[in-house]
Amino acid sequence: MKRPLFPSIFISLMIVITACTSLRRYRSAEGPVINNDLASVGLFGIKLSPSAPALPGKSLWDLSAESQSQFIRILNNRFPGNSQFFNSLNMRYMTGEEKLFTDDYTGSDMRLVFSVVRNREAKVASPADRLEYLKITLTIPDDSVLKFTGWNNYSTEYGTIDIGNVSFTRSIDLSAAASLSFKNGGAAGDISSGGAASSSRKEDQKVGFRYLKLNGMISNRSISLEEEGTREIDLTGNISTYISLAFKRFPLTIAVFAGLKDSLGRSNEASDILADYRIVAVPLMKSIIDTIYGDMEMEYIYRNVKKGSVTFPEWDDKVVFYKGKVRSKVPLFTSWDYLPSFYCIGRDEGSTLLSSSRSGNQGNDLVFRSYREAQDLYDWLRDQVVTGKYSGKQIRLATSDIISYSGRVLSVSDFSGNNPLRVKEYFRREQKQ
């Protein structure tokens, strides 16, 4: 007895229909073939900024909406003048005993921009080629004075991720809304970059969403960025990321002077001036390193379309996958970027600095947080010495500190002549200004 053919024919038709409507990524594939000349990566747009401490207290904008409205009414009553009122909106309140002085200058935030480029002049290149996968790794030497401590942000042209931890794995859904127009023999239509039809109306696959997978790994010595795109996602372009890093610490004494002038701007007596010293942490360096370098490596998978590049959809493409790797040594930043801007008082030539000593102890070089603080002391000393009040005389402050230069008292010649004392940057004083 013969079995009916209908079930067999039905099953065969279902297989054909399913095969024709499935979202295939290619018609056929070869490889991977090793080729290291199809893509490259560059590093530019490096920006290093200190991790500034949060300002003490709270402003109006830190409050809730209801509290803001009540506070604005209070400020309006207290500051009836327009200028006073608007200035009060950005003042900080409720500061309490919070300190204004930061004691750690070893942390920094670094912004990196990687530029990934395909070699469009390669012999195998076609207009439909794309980078399907890439992994970028940036490594610093084991003996480096810094380490990576955190990851804040990862951004590509397809989206931005706020990470907030040391490693991550995320996927971005990309809407296939963009479309292109074509004309062929007077007939017109739309071709969606997400996979719409061609003029023959045979390539009718539709893709509602595309996906980009992002991975990131971080350790003390390296960061790794990994991207994997699906249909029609070309990973060429710029990738930006924000990394937190920290230098090894070295203690440095910072001087703070108070009472140099009275409320009318007149210079006070030495016996009215207070000196305070605070220990802060600065980057540890046996000698100033002009440039810190890193080793950058990119692994990639290149999707080359051998046949089928005339149409946008990829399911009918005959492709060859190439696997490659490129390496380079890249400068990250110079000493001008990572050293804090501290100031001192000394001469253009020589390493001797203005110093102070207390109760017969060995003198400490006077180092200041800002140019303004150093200049204020310099102006006070110059006025006192040049006028003859303290020329050749010991300068003793209210805190028993004695100010001297090279172990001697100051004289008029220290503020005149061809090479007088001046305010200059502390860390870069041996470099050409």
Side-chain angles (χ1 to χ4, degrees), residues 204-247:
D204 55 358
Q205 290 193 23
K206 303 283 185 178
V207 180
F209 289 92
R210 298 170 293 173
Y211 298 93
L212 178 67
K213 186 176 182 181
L214 306 175
N215 296 315
M217 291 159 284
I218 186 170
S219 67
N220 287 344
R221 298 301 179 194
S222 69
I223 58 171
S224 180
L225 314 172
E226 188 176 28
E227 293 188 16
E228 183 176 1
T230 57
R231 298 166 56 95
E232 302 165 10
I233 299 294
D234 187 3
L235 300 182
T236 57
N238 293 340
I239 304 169
S240 64
T241 184
Y242 287 84
I243 304 294
S244 295
L245 52 87
F247 292 85

Short mmCIF file of all heavy atoms in Angstrom, two decimals, residues 204-247:
data_model
loop_
_atom_site.label_atom_id
_atom_site.label_comp_id
_atom_site.label_asym_id
_atom_site.label_seq_id
_atom_site.Cartn_x
_atom_site.Cartn_y
_atom_site.Cartn_z
N ASP A 204 13.05 40.34 0.37
CA ASP A 204 11.99 40.93 1.18
C ASP A 204 12.14 40.66 2.67
O ASP A 204 11.16 40.67 3.41
CB ASP A 204 10.63 40.43 0.70
CG ASP A 204 10.55 38.91 0.68
OD1 ASP A 204 11.57 38.29 1.01
OD2 ASP A 204 9.49 38.38 0.33
N GLN A 205 13.36 40.37 3.11
CA GLN A 205 13.54 40.16 4.54
C GLN A 205 13.44 41.48 5.27
O GLN A 205 13.84 42.53 4.79
CB GLN A 205 14.91 39.54 4.83
CG GLN A 205 15.01 38.10 4.36
CD GLN A 205 16.24 37.44 4.93
OE1 GLN A 205 16.74 37.89 5.94
NE2 GLN A 205 16.70 36.39 4.30
N LYS A 206 12.90 41.44 6.44
CA LYS A 206 12.73 42.63 7.29
C LYS A 206 13.42 42.39 8.62
O LYS A 206 13.32 41.30 9.18
CB LYS A 206 11.25 42.93 7.55
CG LYS A 206 10.41 43.14 6.29
CD LYS A 206 10.66 44.50 5.68
CE LYS A 206 9.73 44.75 4.49
NZ LYS A 206 9.92 46.09 3.93
N VAL A 207 14.10 43.40 9.12
CA VAL A 207 14.71 43.33 10.43
C VAL A 207 14.19 44.49 11.26
O VAL A 207 14.36 45.65 10.89
CB VAL A 207 16.25 43.39 10.35
CG1 VAL A 207 16.87 43.31 11.74
CG2 VAL A 207 16.77 42.27 9.47
N GLY A 208 13.52 44.19 12.37
CA GLY A 208 12.97 45.26 13.20
C GLY A 208 14.01 45.93 14.08
O GLY A 208 13.96 47.13 14.30
N PHE A 209 14.96 45.17 14.58
CA PHE A 209 15.99 45.72 15.46
C PHE A 209 17.33 45.08 15.12
O PHE A 209 17.41 43.95 14.66
CB PHE A 209 15.67 45.45 16.93
CG PHE A 209 14.52 46.26 17.45
CD1 PHE A 209 13.23 45.75 17.40
CD2 PHE A 209 14.73 47.52 17.96
CE1 PHE A 209 12.17 46.50 17.86
CE2 PHE A 209 13.66 48.27 18.43
CZ PHE A 209 12.38 47.76 18.38
N ARG A 210 18.38 45.87 15.35
CA ARG A 210 19.73 45.35 15.26
C ARG A 210 20.35 45.46 16.65
O ARG A 210 19.92 46.26 17.46
CB ARG A 210 20.54 46.15 14.24
CG ARG A 210 19.96 46.07 12.84
CD ARG A 210 20.64 47.06 11.92
NE ARG A 210 20.32 48.43 12.31
CZ ARG A 210 20.90 49.50 11.76
NH1 ARG A 210 21.84 49.34 10.86
NH2 ARG A 210 20.56 50.71 12.14
N TYR A 211 21.37 44.69 16.89
CA TYR A 211 21.95 44.65 18.24
C TYR A 211 23.46 44.89 18.19
O TYR A 211 24.15 44.42 17.28
CB TYR A 211 21.68 43.29 18.92
CG TYR A 211 20.22 43.01 19.10
CD1 TYR A 211 19.52 42.29 18.14
CD2 TYR A 211 19.53 43.50 20.20
CE1 TYR A 211 18.17 42.04 18.29
CE2 TYR A 211 18.18 43.25 20.36
CZ TYR A 211 17.50 42.52 19.40
OH TYR A 211 16.16 42.28 19.54
N LEU A 212 23.92 45.64 19.15
CA LEU A 212 25.35 45.86 19.32
C LEU A 212 25.72 45.44 20.73
O LEU A 212 25.17 45.95 21.70
CB LEU A 212 25.70 47.34 19.11
CG LEU A 212 27.16 47.73 19.31
CD1 LEU A 212 28.03 47.09 18.24
CD2 LEU A 212 27.32 49.24 19.28
N LYS A 213 26.62 44.48 20.84
CA LYS A 213 27.02 43.97 22.14
C LYS A 213 28.32 44.64 22.55
O LYS A 213 29.28 44.68 21.78
CB LYS A 213 27.20 42.46 22.08
CG LYS A 213 27.48 41.83 23.45
CD LYS A 213 27.56 40.32 23.34
CE LYS A 213 27.78 39.68 24.70
NZ LYS A 213 27.88 38.21 24.61
N LEU A 214 28.34 45.17 23.75
CA LEU A 214 29.50 45.87 24.28
C LEU A 214 30.00 45.15 25.53
O LEU A 214 29.22 44.85 26.42
CB LEU A 214 29.16 47.32 24.64
CG LEU A 214 28.52 48.17 23.55
CD1 LEU A 214 28.14 49.54 24.12
CD2 LEU A 214 29.46 48.34 22.38
N ASN A 215 31.28 44.91 25.57
CA ASN A 215 31.91 44.31 26.75
C ASN A 215 33.08 45.18 27.19
O ASN A 215 33.73 45.81 26.35
CB ASN A 215 32.43 42.90 26.47
CG ASN A 215 31.31 41.94 26.13
OD1 ASN A 215 30.29 41.93 26.81
ND2 ASN A 215 31.49 41.16 25.08
N GLY A 216 33.32 45.22 28.46
CA GLY A 216 34.46 45.97 28.95
C GLY A 216 35.08 45.28 30.16
O GLY A 216 34.37 44.77 31.02
N MET A 217 36.40 45.25 30.19
CA MET A 217 37.12 44.66 31.31
C MET A 217 38.22 45.61 31.73
O MET A 217 38.83 46.28 30.88
CB MET A 217 37.72 43.30 30.91
CG MET A 217 36.66 42.22 30.69
SD MET A 217 37.27 40.86 29.66
CE MET A 217 37.22 41.61 28.03
N ILE A 218 38.47 45.69 33.02
CA ILE A 218 39.46 46.61 33.53
C ILE A 218 40.24 45.95 34.65
O ILE A 218 39.69 45.17 35.44
CB ILE A 218 38.80 47.92 34.03
CG1 ILE A 218 39.88 48.95 34.42
CG2 ILE A 218 37.86 47.67 35.18
CD1 ILE A 218 39.30 50.33 34.69
N SER A 219 41.53 46.23 34.69
CA SER A 219 42.40 45.80 35.78
C SER A 219 43.32 46.96 36.12
O SER A 219 43.23 48.03 35.53
CB SER A 219 43.20 44.56 35.39
OG SER A 219 44.12 44.87 34.36
N ASN A 220 44.22 46.75 37.07
CA ASN A 220 45.13 47.82 37.45
C ASN A 220 46.01 48.28 36.29
O ASN A 220 46.40 49.45 36.23
CB ASN A 220 46.03 47.38 38.61
CG ASN A 220 45.27 47.31 39.92
OD1 ASN A 220 44.17 47.84 40.05
ND2 ASN A 220 45.86 46.63 40.89
N ARG A 221 46.31 47.37 35.36
CA ARG A 221 47.26 47.68 34.30
C ARG A 221 46.67 47.73 32.90
O ARG A 221 47.39 48.07 31.96
CB ARG A 221 48.40 46.65 34.32
CG ARG A 221 49.20 46.64 35.60
CD ARG A 221 49.84 48.00 35.87
NE ARG A 221 50.59 48.02 37.10
CZ ARG A 221 51.00 49.14 37.70
NH1 ARG A 221 50.73 50.30 37.15
NH2 ARG A 221 51.67 49.10 38.82
N SER A 222 45.42 47.39 32.72
CA SER A 222 44.88 47.38 31.36
C SER A 222 43.38 47.61 31.35
O SER A 222 42.68 47.34 32.34
CB SER A 222 45.21 46.05 30.66
OG SER A 222 44.49 44.99 31.25
N ILE A 223 42.91 48.11 30.21
CA ILE A 223 41.48 48.19 29.94
C ILE A 223 41.24 47.52 28.60
O ILE A 223 42.09 47.54 27.72
CB ILE A 223 40.97 49.65 29.90
CG1 ILE A 223 41.72 50.45 28.84
CG2 ILE A 223 41.08 50.30 31.26
CD1 ILE A 223 41.13 51.84 28.61
N SER A 224 40.08 46.90 28.46
CA SER A 224 39.75 46.19 27.23
C SER A 224 38.34 46.54 26.81
O SER A 224 37.40 46.42 27.61
CB SER A 224 39.88 44.68 27.45
OG SER A 224 39.56 43.97 26.28
N LEU A 225 38.18 46.99 25.56
CA LEU A 225 36.88 47.33 25.00
C LEU A 225 36.55 46.31 23.91
O LEU A 225 37.36 46.08 23.02
CB LEU A 225 36.90 48.74 24.38
CG LEU A 225 37.54 49.87 25.17
CD1 LEU A 225 37.63 51.11 24.31
CD2 LEU A 225 36.73 50.16 26.41
N GLU A 226 35.38 45.74 23.98
CA GLU A 226 34.99 44.72 23.02
C GLU A 226 33.62 45.06 22.43
O GLU A 226 32.68 45.35 23.16
CB GLU A 226 34.95 43.34 23.70
CG GLU A 226 34.75 42.18 22.75
CD GLU A 226 34.81 40.85 23.46
OE1 GLU A 226 34.46 40.83 24.67
OE2 GLU A 226 35.19 39.84 22.86
N GLU A 227 33.53 45.02 21.09
CA GLU A 227 32.26 45.30 20.41
C GLU A 227 31.98 44.17 19.42
O GLU A 227 32.89 43.69 18.74
CB GLU A 227 32.32 46.62 19.64
CG GLU A 227 32.43 47.85 20.52
CD GLU A 227 32.30 49.12 19.70
OE1 GLU A 227 31.83 49.03 18.55
OE2 GLU A 227 32.65 50.18 20.21
N GLU A 228 30.72 43.79 19.37
CA GLU A 228 30.29 42.79 18.40
C GLU A 228 28.95 43.22 17.82
O GLU A 228 27.96 43.38 18.54
CB GLU A 228 30.16 41.42 19.05
CG GLU A 228 29.79 40.32 18.08
CD GLU A 228 29.76 38.94 18.72
OE1 GLU A 228 30.01 38.87 19.94
OE2 GLU A 228 29.51 37.96 18.01
N GLY A 229 28.92 43.45 16.52
CA GLY A 229 27.70 43.90 15.86
C GLY A 229 27.05 42.79 15.07
O GLY A 229 27.72 41.88 14.57
N THR A 230 25.74 42.85 14.94
CA THR A 230 25.03 41.91 14.08
C THR A 230 24.75 42.60 12.75
O THR A 230 25.44 43.54 12.38
CB THR A 230 23.74 41.43 14.76
OG1 THR A 230 22.94 42.56 15.08
CG2 THR A 230 24.08 40.68 16.04
N ARG A 231 23.71 42.18 12.08
CA ARG A 231 23.45 42.56 10.70
C ARG A 231 23.62 44.06 10.45
O ARG A 231 23.05 44.89 11.12
CB ARG A 231 22.04 42.13 10.31
CG ARG A 231 21.81 40.64 10.36
CD ARG A 231 20.34 40.31 10.31
NE ARG A 231 19.70 40.88 9.15
CZ ARG A 231 19.51 40.23 8.01
NH1 ARG A 231 19.94 38.99 7.88
NH2 ARG A 231 18.90 40.81 7.00
N GLU A 232 24.48 44.36 9.46
CA GLU A 232 24.65 45.70 8.90
C GLU A 232 25.24 46.70 9.88
O GLU A 232 25.14 47.90 9.67
CB GLU A 232 23.32 46.22 8.34
CG GLU A 232 22.74 45.31 7.26
CD GLU A 232 21.29 45.61 6.97
OE1 GLU A 232 20.79 46.63 7.47
OE2 GLU A 232 20.66 44.83 6.25
N ILE A 233 25.86 46.25 10.94
CA ILE A 233 26.52 47.14 11.89
C ILE A 233 28.01 47.17 11.57
O ILE A 233 28.71 46.17 11.71
CB ILE A 233 26.32 46.66 13.33
CG1 ILE A 233 24.84 46.65 13.69
CG2 ILE A 233 27.10 47.54 14.29
CD1 ILE A 233 24.22 48.02 13.73
N ASP A 234 28.49 48.32 11.12
CA ASP A 234 29.90 48.50 10.84
C ASP A 234 30.54 49.19 12.05
O ASP A 234 30.13 50.28 12.44
CB ASP A 234 30.10 49.35 9.58
CG ASP A 234 31.55 49.41 9.15
OD1 ASP A 234 32.39 48.75 9.80
OD2 ASP A 234 31.86 50.12 8.18
N LEU A 235 31.53 48.58 12.64
CA LEU A 235 32.11 49.07 13.88
C LEU A 235 33.22 50.10 13.68
O LEU A 235 33.90 50.46 14.63
CB LEU A 235 32.66 47.89 14.70
CG LEU A 235 31.62 46.84 15.10
CD1 LEU A 235 32.25 45.74 15.93
CD2 LEU A 235 30.47 47.49 15.86
N THR A 236 33.41 50.57 12.45
CA THR A 236 34.36 51.66 12.26
C THR A 236 33.80 52.95 12.87
O THR A 236 32.59 53.11 13.02
CB THR A 236 34.63 51.89 10.76
OG1 THR A 236 33.38 52.15 10.09
CG2 THR A 236 35.29 50.68 10.15
N GLY A 237 34.67 53.86 13.23
CA GLY A 237 34.23 55.12 13.84
C GLY A 237 34.98 55.37 15.14
O GLY A 237 35.99 54.73 15.44
N ASN A 238 34.47 56.31 15.91
CA ASN A 238 35.12 56.70 17.16
C ASN A 238 34.47 56.04 18.37
O ASN A 238 33.25 55.89 18.43
CB ASN A 238 35.06 58.22 17.34
CG ASN A 238 35.91 58.95 16.32
OD1 ASN A 238 36.80 58.36 15.71
ND2 ASN A 238 35.65 60.23 16.12
N ILE A 239 35.29 55.67 19.33
CA ILE A 239 34.85 55.13 20.61
C ILE A 239 35.48 55.99 21.69
O ILE A 239 36.69 56.15 21.73
CB ILE A 239 35.31 53.67 20.79
CG1 ILE A 239 34.81 52.79 19.63
CG2 ILE A 239 34.82 53.12 22.12
CD1 ILE A 239 35.45 51.41 19.63
N SER A 240 34.67 56.54 22.56
CA SER A 240 35.20 57.35 23.67
C SER A 240 34.86 56.70 24.99
O SER A 240 33.81 56.08 25.14
CB SER A 240 34.64 58.77 23.62
OG SER A 240 33.24 58.77 23.82
N THR A 241 35.76 56.83 25.93
CA THR A 241 35.55 56.24 27.24
C THR A 241 36.22 57.09 28.30
O THR A 241 37.20 57.79 28.02
CB THR A 241 36.10 54.80 27.30
OG1 THR A 241 35.80 54.21 28.55
CG2 THR A 241 37.60 54.78 27.09
N TYR A 242 35.68 57.06 29.51
CA TYR A 242 36.22 57.82 30.63
C TYR A 242 36.72 56.83 31.68
O TYR A 242 35.96 55.97 32.14
CB TYR A 242 35.16 58.74 31.24
CG TYR A 242 34.84 59.94 30.38
CD1 TYR A 242 33.91 59.84 29.35
CD2 TYR A 242 35.46 61.16 30.60
CE1 TYR A 242 33.61 60.93 28.55
CE2 TYR A 242 35.16 62.26 29.81
CZ TYR A 242 34.24 62.14 28.79
OH TYR A 242 33.95 63.23 28.00
N ILE A 243 38.00 56.97 32.03
CA ILE A 243 38.66 56.07 32.97
C ILE A 243 39.16 56.86 34.16
O ILE A 243 39.67 57.97 34.02
CB ILE A 243 39.84 55.35 32.30
CG1 ILE A 243 39.38 54.61 31.05
CG2 ILE A 243 40.50 54.38 33.27
CD1 ILE A 243 38.45 53.48 31.31
N SER A 244 39.01 56.29 35.37
CA SER A 244 39.62 56.88 36.56
C SER A 244 40.95 56.18 36.83
O SER A 244 41.04 54.95 36.70
CB SER A 244 38.71 56.73 37.78
OG SER A 244 37.52 57.47 37.60
N LEU A 245 41.96 56.95 37.17
CA LEU A 245 43.26 56.36 37.46
C LEU A 245 43.88 57.05 38.67
O LEU A 245 43.44 58.11 39.10
CB LEU A 245 44.19 56.45 36.25
CG LEU A 245 44.38 57.80 35.58
CD1 LEU A 245 45.49 58.59 36.23
CD2 LEU A 245 44.71 57.61 34.10
N ALA A 246 44.89 56.42 39.23
CA ALA A 246 45.56 56.96 40.42
C ALA A 246 47.05 56.69 40.32
O ALA A 246 47.48 55.64 39.83
CB ALA A 246 44.99 56.33 41.69
N PHE A 247 47.84 57.66 40.77
CA PHE A 247 49.28 57.53 40.82
C PHE A 247 49.70 57.01 42.19
O PHE A 247 49.00 57.18 43.18
CB PHE A 247 49.96 58.87 40.55
CG PHE A 247 49.77 59.37 39.15
CD1 PHE A 247 48.65 60.10 38.80
CD2 PHE A 247 50.73 59.11 38.19
CE1 PHE A 247 48.48 60.56 37.51
CE2 PHE A 247 50.57 59.57 36.89
CZ PHE A 247 49.44 60.30 36.55
#
